[in-house]
Amino acid sequence: MHRAIILVSIIALVLAAALAGLGPAYRADVIDLSQAFGVMRVLALPTLIAAGLAAIAFVGALLTARSHAGIALVADLAAGIAGYAPIKMRSLAEANPRIHDITTDFENPSAIVAAADLPRRNPPAYAGGDMVGETGKSVADSQRAAFPDIKPLIVGADVPGTAAKAREVLKSMRMEVLAESRPEDGGLVIEAVLTTLWFGFKDDFIVRLAPAEGGTRIDVRSKSRVGGSDLGANAARVRKFLAAMDAAL
């Protein structure tokens, strides 16, 4: 029984480590993205099964070998979390349109300038008219249907005050400011980037501030440099930023 508990725990830990290591392996150019996702699909179910077996091993350890209960519990938690991640990603992919560029201004989306020439698979230009797979909808129409609440925000503060708060919010959201520019309308454009924790994906985030009657208009654009679907991440990021700005100003 003792050997079985240890064996199951080791298998669960190895599978969990293999899944967790896909992100760092991709970041280190050891594997490409398609290989990483392929391995993820293969390992997801075995890792969840291993998590279930580790849970059984944990109960068995409590009854017969308490000294092994710790490793069984750690293995159960590690495999459960690692195995759940691909399932969650698939669920998000099914729940969100296959797009990776979100904007509050369809007619005049903020341009990606500072990061335009940095490594990317998705061109910096906004392609709102491109069709999304076989859905019959364009990128812009897909966003309108899935995220109708994402719109420009008007706040009562002036541009300098709004800009100061925008920089604070960007920092709190782990984004790095790449550049700032001042258009002729007296506004301000802040270009930032967010690097995801697991795979190190880089998403551009543009904040455009323009003088408006009674305050400042805030437009935002968030675009992934890699990938066809962002799993709803860009929309969630835009919502979070605008909500923080609305609450603060």
Side-chain angles (χ1 to χ4, degrees), residues 75-138:
D76 176 36
L77 293 175
I81 294 171
Y84 174 71
I87 306 300
K88 179 63 174 179
M89 291 172 65
R90 181 173 180 176
S91 174
L92 289 172
E94 293 174 349
N96 291 280
R98 188 174 173 77
I99 58 177
H100 52 260
D101 197 347
I102 299 294
T103 180
T104 57
D105 188 345
F106 297 103
E107 301 302 323
N108 183 30
S110 301
I112 296 173
V113 178
D117 296 327
L118 296 179
R120 62 172 62 244
R121 293 186 184 178
N122 298 325
Y126 182 69
D130 287 0
M131 303 307 292
V132 180
E134 299 178 357
T135 63
K137 294 181 180 179
S138 66

Side-chain angles (χ1 to χ4, degrees), residues 39 44-45 157 164 233:
V39 173
L45 182 57

Side-chain angles (χ1 to χ4, degrees), residues 19-41:
L19 270 177
L22 292 175
Y26 168 75
R27 297 176 75 161
D29 292 326
V30 175
I31 57 176
D32 62 31
L33 194 57
S34 61
Q35 291 172 327
F37 285 166
V39 173
M40 189 181 297
R41 286 191 292 270

